[in-house]
Amino acid sequence: MPLKTTQRLFAAAVAALGALLISPTTAKDPLPEGTNAKVIAADIEYLKGGFEEPPTRAGTLAALKSGAMLLALSAQNGLDGPDADKMAAVRAQALKVAEAIAAKNTADAVAAVKGLDAPKGGDKTPMKLHEQAKFDLAELMGAYRSSKAGSLNIEADLKAAAKGTKGVDVVEVQAARVALIAQYSLDMPPAGAESGAKRKQWDDLAKESMTLGLETAAEAAKGAKADAEKLKKLLGSVSANCSACHSKFRD
């Protein structure tokens, strides 16, 4: 198949997947095959590492809560796949982590994180995850912050990747998280942007971020066959989208 035809088909597929992601309630896994599993594994390791010693800083706990909520969304996106029972159990356990943090019960959060090694139970009914565990927009966007602040280091890793100092494996996971954050964002507009022109502006930026995250993750998922120049351009576009969002909505 000619390259241009392949590119057009891929663009159409991304657009179709973006249309599915109307909200966390109705979403299906939009990521390349195998990427969701990598993100879930990375999120579980992040949460386990964050609770090796019970965290006490509010910022660190907020970051861990965001990680748990991203894990819950990844699992929910996989509920229509072959591992639906496992995904339901992962989602239920991730929500236990987030709810314990929201309740300021670190001991229960530690226990819930340990349960991620072999989660059980959970149903397969889609949930409005943005309404769970008192999750708020500041916590969601905090996932971009540095690992020094206890967070997922998304922004720093993607900037480093654009400079060639981080590999495609890191890009694949972090770009997928960008798409997940954007997915949540569609249901979590900031104050003053709940409707009208501001809401459209917010939604447009979120959808663009989602598309860029998906495209970047898909290219990075090719591993050694990934197009380095294409990735660099995509990463630049991700950064530009973040800057545009900050200029219009960041306090």
Side-chain angles (χ1 to χ4, degrees), residues 18-177:
L20 285 174
L21 298 178
I22 297 169
S23 78
T25 304
T26 59
K28 297 180 181 180
D29 180 18
L31 294 167
E33 184 177 355
T35 298
N36 197 34
K38 293 178 185 178
V39 177
I40 286 173
D43 287 346
I44 290 174
E45 286 305 307
Y46 163 71
L47 291 169
K48 289 167 68 175
F51 282 98
E52 284 181 354
E53 295 184 7
T56 56
R57 291 192 306 160
T60 300
L61 285 165
L64 290 163
K65 180 180 171 184
S66 183
M69 293 302 290
L70 288 176
L71 173 59
L73 181 53
S74 290
Q76 176 153 291
N77 285 351
L79 286 176
D80 286 335
D83 296 324
D85 289 339
K86 178 181 178 181
M87 293 299 97
V90 170
R91 182 185 65 177
Q93 197 67 29
L95 287 175
K96 288 179 182 179
V97 177
E99 287 161 357
I101 295 172
K104 300 181 180 180
N105 192 327
T106 305
D108 280 358
V110 170
V113 168
K114 290 179 180 178
L116 287 168
D117 284 331
K120 297 178 181 178
D123 62 49
K124 293 185 277 291
T125 304
M127 299 173 65
K128 294 182 178 181
L129 289 175
H130 64 287
E131 296 179 354
Q132 306 300 312
K134 300 179 181 179
F135 194 34
D136 63 38
L137 184 60
E139 291 169 332
L140 173 65
M141 294 302 172
Y144 280 101
R145 296 181 64 197
S146 168
S147 57
K148 294 178 181 178
S151 198
L152 287 164
N153 212 55
I154 297 173
E155 182 177 7
D157 279 346
L158 293 183
K159 284 183 176 179
K163 296 176 181 178
T165 57
K166 289 282 184 178
V168 292
D169 53 338
V170 173
V171 175
E172 182 182 359
V173 169
Q174 296 293 42
R177 286 170 170 159

Side-chain angles (χ1 to χ4, degrees), residues 178-192:
V178 169
L180 291 167
I181 290 169
Q183 188 179 341
Y184 264 125
S185 296
L186 288 170
D187 279 332
M188 299 174 71

